[in-house]
Structure formats: C-alpha cells, structure tokens
Amino acid sequence: MKHLYCALALTAMSLGLGACSTDSSSDMPTGMITRNDFENTQGWGGANEPTVTTEKAHSGKYSITVNPQYEFSHTYIRTLGQMTGGKPKKMTVTAWAWVPDKESTAVIVVDIKHSPENGAQVFYETLDLVPAVQEFKAWRKVSKTFNLPDSIASTNQCKVYLWRGSSPRPVFVDDVSIEVEN
C-alpha cells in the first residue's frame, strides 16, 4: 500500500509540473512551438539555472533574468527538426520584458548553429529590449519575427535566450512563446 501512495504522489507531481509550460502540444495554436512562464522549464536548459528567479514575474512566481553576475539566461535548446516537421521560414519570439532603464541593453537572442556537435553559425539575430519596451520599470510585451535563411536544416540547433549585453542592472523576461511558420 505504501508503494501505491508513493506512485500516486509521483504521478500527481509529474502532472503538476507541466501545468504552466507547454512544449509542442495540441492545445497550442498552429505554429507555436513552446510557451513558458518558467514555473516549469520544459525544453529549456543550459548551465545558468540560477537565472530562473522569483525576484520579479509577469505571471506566476518565476521569470528569467540577466545581470552583471549572469551574462546569459536559462536557454531554450532544440534542433529545428525537434521543433517542427517542416522547414521554417520565419520564427516569432514573443515575451514580456521588464527593463529598468535605457542603459539596460539586454537582448533576446535567436541563435541557430549547424548542429549540436558543430557550432558553425547559420543564423544569429536579436530582439533589442530597450526600443521594444518603450517604457521602463514596467512589464511590456515585446515581439519580433525573424526571417530565417533558406540554408537552414532540421539538424540545425536553435537556441533562444536572454543576453545581458552591457546592461549594468537586472533585466527580466517572462511568458516567452516561440512560433514558426513553414
């Protein structure tokens, strides 16, 4: 009986963990690859888990941050083949950003490499947060559509992350969604 209770508890916990993060599921609009409020980090990885913070959040308790201590945030990492069955022509990244001032020049990066094993650059472009938010010390929705090159392939590794740039103060991002158009 004790084992049954443990199994039920583990099942309930695993179901609860996915409640606030969605990755390639049928309840998302067509083309949406992921949306994350950082209550769960499914699909997101990288060495900087300390950048998932409770200091500020647009929704829930968590967001990602960069600051003078952490140059790069927790990162979405997938091959294009894991993200979509087709060859994407465009990728749209939408998020809520909290930027303290115009000197806090953090950016959201879309970085596509040849493969997880080969770091040759295929595509690199940023969403600059200072001009995108238009107002400081408040959560503002930001979005950018990136036109992807014809040379991309399903084996290319895509990373989406927040980069501090030269920001002297913390910048926060929450409720990130990534959509592709084939």
Side-chain angles (χ1 to χ4, degrees):
M1 192 65 143
K2 183 178 178 182
H3 295 290
L4 176 62
Y5 288 125
C6 288
L8 289 172
L10 287 172
T11 301
M13 285 174 44
S14 68
L15 291 173
L17 286 175
C20 296
S21 173
T22 312
D23 201 29
S24 299
S25 113
S26 60
D27 66 335
M28 291 192 293
T30 302
M32 185 171 290
I33 302 304
T34 187
R35 61 179 173 223
N36 202 321
D37 60 4
F38 302 100
E39 305 306 298
N40 175 17
T41 57
Q42 182 179 1
W44 293 73
N48 288 320
E49 289 188 37
T51 64
V52 177
T53 182
T54 58
E55 189 176 338
K56 290 192 185 306
H58 177 256
S59 69
K61 292 185 348 183
Y62 297 95
S63 66
I64 55 175
T65 187
V66 290
N67 56 49
Q69 185 179 359
Y70 296 106
E71 189 80 13
F72 303 100
S73 74
H74 206 50
T75 302
Y76 180 82
I77 305 171
R78 289 281 192 259
T79 64
L80 292 177
Q82 291 172 315
M83 294 171 69
T84 181
K87 186 174 180 174
K89 294 180 179 166
K90 296 180 181 189
M91 181 180 296
T92 301
V93 177
T94 303
W96 286 83
W98 191 96
V99 180
D101 52 46
K102 66 180 180 180
E103 287 81 32
S104 299
T105 57
V107 297
I108 295 174
V109 175
V110 173
D111 183 7
I112 301 175
K113 304 281 190 194
H114 184 268
S115 70
E117 299 78 27
N118 178 348
Q121 195 76 55
V122 175
F123 178 84
Y124 182 95
E125 200 169 314
T126 63
L127 164 53
D128 299 334
L129 294 179
V130 167
V133 296
Q134 298 180 9
E135 185 179 339
F136 302 111
K137 294 184 179 178
W139 286 102
R140 294 291 171 230
K141 190 173 187 177
V142 297
S143 186
K144 182 173 179 179
T145 298
F146 300 88
N147 294 310
L148 303 177
D150 290 335
S151 61
I152 62 167
S154 64
T155 55
N156 294 158
Q157 183 179 58
C158 178
K159 293 183 179 183
V160 178
Y161 56 90
L162 181 62
W163 176 40
R164 180 178 75 91
S166 60
S167 179
R169 283 168 283 292
V171 173
F172 302 87
V173 166
D174 200 359
D175 301 320
V176 177
S177 68
I178 302 170
E179 297 178 60
V180 294
E181 179 184 320
N182 292 336

Short mmCIF file of all heavy atoms in Angstrom, two decimals, residues 1-2 5 7 21 35 37 43 46 59 78-79 89-90 105 119 124 136 138 144 155 161 172:
data_model
loop_
_atom_site.label_atom_id
_atom_site.label_comp_id
_atom_site.label_asym_id
_atom_site.label_seq_id
_atom_site.Cartn_x
_atom_site.Cartn_y
_atom_site.Cartn_z
N MET A 1 0.81 -1.18 0.00
CA MET A 1 0.00 0.00 0.00
C MET A 1 0.86 1.26 0.00
O MET A 1 0.54 2.23 -0.67
CB MET A 1 -0.92 -0.04 1.23
CG MET A 1 -2.01 0.98 1.17
SD MET A 1 -3.14 0.66 -0.16
CE MET A 1 -4.64 1.11 0.57
N LYS A 2 1.96 1.22 0.76
CA LYS A 2 2.87 2.36 0.82
C LYS A 2 3.41 2.69 -0.57
O LYS A 2 3.52 3.85 -0.95
CB LYS A 2 4.01 2.04 1.80
CG LYS A 2 4.97 3.17 2.00
CD LYS A 2 6.03 2.78 3.00
CE LYS A 2 7.03 3.86 3.20
NZ LYS A 2 8.09 3.49 4.14
N TYR A 5 0.80 4.60 -2.68
CA TYR A 5 0.73 6.02 -2.35
C TYR A 5 1.91 6.78 -2.95
O TYR A 5 1.76 7.89 -3.45
CB TYR A 5 0.69 6.23 -0.83
CG TYR A 5 -0.62 5.83 -0.21
CD1 TYR A 5 -0.65 4.92 0.83
CD2 TYR A 5 -1.83 6.35 -0.66
CE1 TYR A 5 -1.85 4.53 1.40
CE2 TYR A 5 -3.03 5.97 -0.09
CZ TYR A 5 -3.04 5.06 0.93
OH TYR A 5 -4.22 4.70 1.49
N ALA A 7 3.61 5.96 -5.65
CA ALA A 7 3.40 6.02 -7.10
C ALA A 7 2.37 7.08 -7.45
O ALA A 7 2.54 7.85 -8.41
CB ALA A 7 2.97 4.66 -7.64
N SER A 21 3.85 25.15 -18.39
CA SER A 21 4.76 25.20 -19.51
C SER A 21 4.27 24.23 -20.55
O SER A 21 3.87 23.13 -20.23
CB SER A 21 6.17 24.80 -19.05
OG SER A 21 7.02 24.71 -20.15
N ARG A 35 5.59 27.72 -25.15
CA ARG A 35 5.31 28.92 -24.37
C ARG A 35 5.68 28.57 -22.94
O ARG A 35 5.42 27.46 -22.48
CB ARG A 35 3.87 29.40 -24.52
CG ARG A 35 2.84 28.41 -24.07
CD ARG A 35 1.44 28.98 -24.22
NE ARG A 35 0.50 27.90 -23.93
CZ ARG A 35 -0.57 27.66 -24.63
NH1 ARG A 35 -0.87 28.40 -25.67
NH2 ARG A 35 -1.36 26.68 -24.29
N ASP A 37 6.17 30.15 -18.83
CA ASP A 37 6.15 31.18 -17.79
C ASP A 37 7.17 30.87 -16.70
O ASP A 37 7.17 31.49 -15.65
CB ASP A 37 4.74 31.35 -17.22
CG ASP A 37 4.20 30.09 -16.58
OD1 ASP A 37 4.93 29.08 -16.50
OD2 ASP A 37 3.04 30.10 -16.15
N GLY A 43 11.94 21.95 -22.10
CA GLY A 43 12.53 22.41 -23.35
C GLY A 43 13.63 23.43 -23.16
O GLY A 43 14.34 23.76 -24.08
N GLY A 46 20.53 24.56 -20.16
CA GLY A 46 21.68 25.43 -20.10
C GLY A 46 22.24 25.44 -18.69
O GLY A 46 21.62 24.96 -17.75
N SER A 59 3.81 36.66 -14.71
CA SER A 59 2.75 35.75 -14.28
C SER A 59 3.39 34.67 -13.42
O SER A 59 4.58 34.38 -13.55
CB SER A 59 2.05 35.12 -15.49
OG SER A 59 2.92 34.24 -16.16
N ARG A 78 16.73 23.32 -28.87
CA ARG A 78 16.14 22.22 -29.64
C ARG A 78 16.74 22.26 -31.05
O ARG A 78 17.11 23.32 -31.55
CB ARG A 78 14.63 22.38 -29.78
CG ARG A 78 13.83 22.14 -28.53
CD ARG A 78 13.69 20.64 -28.30
NE ARG A 78 12.73 20.31 -27.30
CZ ARG A 78 13.05 19.98 -26.06
NH1 ARG A 78 14.29 20.01 -25.66
NH2 ARG A 78 12.12 19.63 -25.21
N THR A 79 16.79 21.10 -31.70
CA THR A 79 17.10 21.14 -33.13
C THR A 79 15.83 21.59 -33.85
O THR A 79 14.71 21.42 -33.33
CB THR A 79 17.55 19.76 -33.67
OG1 THR A 79 16.47 18.84 -33.55
CG2 THR A 79 18.80 19.25 -32.95
N LYS A 89 10.36 29.09 -42.27
CA LYS A 89 10.80 30.29 -42.98
C LYS A 89 10.91 31.47 -42.03
O LYS A 89 11.72 32.36 -42.24
CB LYS A 89 9.82 30.62 -44.10
CG LYS A 89 9.80 29.57 -45.19
CD LYS A 89 8.81 29.92 -46.27
CE LYS A 89 8.87 28.82 -47.31
NZ LYS A 89 7.81 28.82 -48.23
N LYS A 90 10.07 31.45 -40.99
CA LYS A 90 10.05 32.54 -40.02
C LYS A 90 9.90 31.97 -38.62
O LYS A 90 9.29 30.92 -38.43
CB LYS A 90 8.88 33.49 -40.29
CG LYS A 90 8.96 34.20 -41.61
CD LYS A 90 7.77 35.11 -41.82
CE LYS A 90 7.88 35.77 -43.19
NZ LYS A 90 6.89 36.81 -43.36
N THR A 105 20.76 47.32 -21.66
CA THR A 105 20.68 46.96 -23.08
C THR A 105 20.65 45.46 -23.34
O THR A 105 21.29 44.98 -24.27
CB THR A 105 21.88 47.58 -23.82
OG1 THR A 105 23.08 47.12 -23.19
CG2 THR A 105 21.82 49.09 -23.81
N GLY A 119 29.46 23.91 -34.08
CA GLY A 119 28.99 25.24 -33.71
C GLY A 119 29.06 26.30 -34.79
O GLY A 119 28.96 27.49 -34.49
N TYR A 124 21.95 34.31 -36.65
CA TYR A 124 22.05 34.98 -35.35
C TYR A 124 21.39 36.34 -35.49
O TYR A 124 21.78 37.13 -36.35
CB TYR A 124 23.52 35.15 -34.93
CG TYR A 124 23.69 35.79 -33.58
CD1 TYR A 124 23.85 35.02 -32.44
CD2 TYR A 124 23.68 37.17 -33.44
CE1 TYR A 124 24.01 35.60 -31.18
CE2 TYR A 124 23.84 37.77 -32.20
CZ TYR A 124 24.01 36.98 -31.08
OH TYR A 124 24.15 37.56 -29.84
N PHE A 136 9.97 52.05 -19.12
CA PHE A 136 10.84 51.34 -18.19
C PHE A 136 10.17 51.07 -16.86
O PHE A 136 9.18 51.71 -16.50
CB PHE A 136 12.14 52.14 -18.00
CG PHE A 136 12.86 52.38 -19.30
CD1 PHE A 136 12.94 53.64 -19.84
CD2 PHE A 136 13.41 51.32 -20.01
CE1 PHE A 136 13.58 53.86 -21.06
CE2 PHE A 136 14.04 51.52 -21.21
CZ PHE A 136 14.14 52.80 -21.74
N ALA A 138 8.41 48.56 -15.94
CA ALA A 138 7.06 48.01 -16.09
C ALA A 138 7.14 46.81 -17.03
O ALA A 138 8.00 46.77 -17.91
CB ALA A 138 6.12 49.06 -16.65
N LYS A 144 9.16 39.87 -31.98
CA LYS A 144 9.88 40.08 -33.23
C LYS A 144 9.78 38.82 -34.07
O LYS A 144 9.89 37.70 -33.56
CB LYS A 144 11.36 40.40 -32.98
CG LYS A 144 12.14 40.67 -34.26
CD LYS A 144 13.55 41.14 -33.99
CE LYS A 144 14.31 41.39 -35.28
NZ LYS A 144 15.67 41.88 -35.03
N THR A 155 18.62 19.50 -38.82
CA THR A 155 19.67 19.14 -37.86
C THR A 155 20.28 20.36 -37.18
O THR A 155 21.05 20.21 -36.23
CB THR A 155 20.79 18.35 -38.55
OG1 THR A 155 21.27 19.13 -39.65
CG2 THR A 155 20.29 17.00 -39.03
N TYR A 161 17.54 32.76 -26.01
CA TYR A 161 17.94 33.11 -24.64
C TYR A 161 18.02 34.62 -24.48
O TYR A 161 18.03 35.37 -25.46
CB TYR A 161 19.28 32.47 -24.27
CG TYR A 161 20.43 32.79 -25.22
CD1 TYR A 161 21.24 33.89 -25.01
CD2 TYR A 161 20.69 31.99 -26.33
CE1 TYR A 161 22.28 34.19 -25.87
CE2 TYR A 161 21.72 32.27 -27.19
CZ TYR A 161 22.52 33.38 -26.96
OH TYR A 161 23.56 33.67 -27.83
N PHE A 172 14.53 41.39 -16.77
CA PHE A 172 13.71 40.19 -16.58
C PHE A 172 12.86 39.92 -17.81
O PHE A 172 12.38 40.86 -18.45
CB PHE A 172 12.80 40.37 -15.36
CG PHE A 172 13.55 40.64 -14.10
CD1 PHE A 172 13.91 41.93 -13.75
CD2 PHE A 172 13.92 39.60 -13.26
CE1 PHE A 172 14.61 42.20 -12.59
CE2 PHE A 172 14.62 39.84 -12.09
CZ PHE A 172 14.97 41.15 -11.76
#
